[in-house]
Amino acid sequence: NAGVIQTPRHKVTGKGQEATLWCEPISGHSAVFWYRQTIVQGLEFLTYFRNQAPIDDSGMPKERFSAQMPNQSHSTLKIQSTQPQDSAVYLCASSLEWGAREQYFGPGTRLTVL
Amino acid sequence: GEQVEQLPSILRVQEGSSASINCTYENSASNYFPWYKQEPGENPKLIIDIRSNMERKQTQGLIVLLDKKAKRFSLHITDTQPGDSAMYFCAASPLVTNAYKVIFGKGTHLHVLP
């Protein structure tokens, strides 16, 4: 079991460019979560999917952020027209739907917007 | 509201002493309270959790207490060691179908001084 896989590990973009972040959850996990981590805000919830369906995206900045889960093996977080304030570590986590509900985090993607 | 407040943000303790982190939550539907530890350069990992049908849980030098009336829960690390130095996040979540979004506190940076 490779755990949650996130690619790329580091991404540098220029202001106004698009960034796409990838997450491969643990096989068999039906819930996938996206978080943004900064020193100031800590771990901010962005969105989550259950059995590939979007359940709650209340944490997503409305205009430039979008997330999809086209199949059970991967999810993407897309940020359009990136801004310096989008710079953060974006963490993906997955969990079993039932049971202990422990979330298994990936290593994160460190996004730097110049 | 859904916020989880976590204090202190920075905690320095002497090796061998105990460390306490306190959290409060707003959502009265919350009934699952995990604690995650994040070591430098690593992703957060679950270290202990407690459900609302319990007031106290202990495992391997960690104690969590839950006061549902006050909407308050806490982590106590006994006999701290240098390896306990890390970021600690508390979280709250409702354990119901279709609604187990996890809201994290902003984290506590624990420094165990030799």
Side-chain angles (χ1 to χ4, degrees):
Chain A
N1 191 337
V4 175
I5 298 171
Q6 287 189 253
T7 56
R9 293 294 306 276
H10 302 273
K11 186 170 182 66
V12 180
T13 66
K15 182 179 174 181
Q17 291 184 329
E18 182 178 288
T20 301
L21 314 180
W22 294 73
C23 171
E24 182 179 329
I26 293 173
S27 177
H29 283 192
S30 59
V32 173
F33 302 80
W34 284 96
Y35 297 92
R36 175 168 62 183
Q37 185 173 19
T38 61
I39 292 174
V40 174
Q41 296 297 330
L43 268 172
E44 290 180 278
F45 168 82
L46 294 176
T47 187
Y48 91 92
F49 297 84
R50 175 173 169 262
N51 292 328
Q52 299 171 233
I55 300 298
D56 187 329
D57 67 353
S58 58
M60 295 275 274
K62 291 304 177 204
E63 292 186 350
R64 299 182 293 105
F65 284 58
S66 63
Q68 293 184 326
M69 192 162 184
N71 57 59
Q72 63 185 11
S73 64
H74 89 272
S75 174
T76 58
L77 179 68
K78 184 182 291 186
I79 308 171
Q80 295 178 310
S81 185
T82 53
Q83 303 297 311
Q85 61 264 31
D86 299 331
S87 297
V89 176
Y90 289 83
L91 288 163
C92 175
S94 70
S95 74
L96 291 168
E97 179 175 351
W98 304 109
R101 298 286 177 95
E102 176 178 356
Q103 294 196 9
Y104 294 82
F105 284 84
T109 294
R110 180 174 294 278
L111 176 66
T112 302
V113 183
L114 302 175
Chain B
E2 292 186 323
Q3 280 207 332
V4 174
E5 298 288 338
Q6 181 172 350
L7 290 171
S9 55
I10 300 173
L11 179 59
R12 294 185 177 87
V13 299
Q14 214 65 42
E15 181 178 352
S17 66
S18 62
S20 296
I21 303 171
N22 300 291
C23 292
T24 57
Y25 60 98
E26 295 182 347
N27 187 350
S28 54
S30 297
N31 52 13
Y32 173 64
F33 307 90
W35 287 86
Y36 284 79
K37 176 183 180 182
Q38 185 178 28
E39 301 194 57
E42 299 289 324
N43 47 340
K45 293 180 175 63
L46 180 72
I47 53 173
I48 191 169
D49 57 17
I50 189 168
R51 301 194 180 199
S52 59
N53 59 349
M54 301 175 70
E55 294 179 347
R56 184 181 194 276
K57 185 173 180 180
Q58 180 170 357
T59 179
Q60 296 179 337
L62 303 175
I63 300 170
V64 289
L65 303 175
L66 173 62
D67 181 343
K68 287 179 291 184
K69 272 189 180 177
K71 294 184 184 175
R72 187 168 54 212
F73 59 113
S74 56
L75 173 69
H76 306 271
I77 306 172
T78 59
D79 188 23
T80 53
Q81 300 299 310
D84 294 323
S85 295
M87 281 291 290
Y88 290 81
F89 294 95
C90 65
S93 171
L95 271 179
V96 296
T97 305
N98 266 359
Y100 65 105
K101 179 168 74 175
V102 178
I103 301 298
F104 286 86
K106 291 190 177 181
T108 295
H109 200 165
L110 174 64
H111 301 266
V112 179
L113 308 171

